[in-house]
Amino acid sequence: ILLKHQTNLFKALSDPNRLRIIKMLQIKPLCVCEITDILGLAASTVSTHLNILKRAGFIEDYKDGKWINYSLSKNINKPVITSLMTSMHFILEDDEVIKNDRVKLGLVDRIEICRR
């Protein structure tokens, strides 16, 4: 069971869009519409990615008024997750896609997105 669980952790990290989501959430919590806008994907696709990351224990969600925000998990009871998330701070830092996502992250406005 342990091997299967840890394999699922790495599977959750095996998709470029999920890595991009984690890198964005290192900066600040985001709602689905913000992540969708930055990634340029359908909301249903982003929701699927978020569910995979959440089930694996990498992220969590919380309600903030009418928004559901996603953030990195604060579950320190899982040393494997903590270790992987610590490593994620150093992974892909110089990647152009990640750098572009950070620029977009500074410009994204959930209220403006909802007006469209």
Side-chain angles (χ1 to χ4, degrees), residues 3 29 51 70 80:
L3 180 60
N51 283 329
Y70 290 85
V80 173

Side-chain angles (χ1 to χ4, degrees), residues 5-91:
H5 174 70
Q6 291 187 356
T7 300
N8 286 335
L9 295 179
F10 286 101
K11 284 181 182 178
L13 296 175
S14 69
D15 183 90
N17 289 311
R18 291 194 287 272
L19 290 175
R20 290 173 68 191
I21 290 168
I22 287 176
K23 296 304 286 183
M24 286 187 270
L25 294 178
Q26 287 177 338
I27 308 294
K28 67 178 186 179
L30 298 166
C31 66
V32 172
C33 63
E34 292 169 315
I35 297 169
T36 299
D37 193 63
I38 293 169
L39 294 178
L41 299 172
S44 60
T45 302
V46 170
S47 291
T48 299
H49 287 308
L50 290 169
N51 283 329
I52 290 168
L53 290 170
K54 185 177 174 184
R55 279 195 316 268
F58 291 110
I59 66 171
E60 56 194 26
D61 61 9
Y62 62 94
K63 188 121 171 95
D64 179 20
K66 68 177 187 173
W67 310 106
I68 295 177
N69 289 321
Y70 290 85
S71 64
L72 296 180
S73 178
K74 294 167 190 65
N75 187 349
I76 57 172
N77 297 331
K78 296 184 179 179
V80 173
I81 298 284
T82 302
S83 176
L84 288 170
M85 293 309 290
T86 300
S87 298
M88 286 298 296
H89 281 288
F90 305 103
I91 294 172

Side-chain angles (χ1 to χ4, degrees), residues 92-104:
L92 299 171
E93 285 300 305
D94 295 328
D95 184 84
E96 288 303 315
V97 173
I98 300 301
K99 288 179 182 180
N100 289 335
D101 287 348
R102 284 196 186 117
V103 170
K104 292 177 188 175

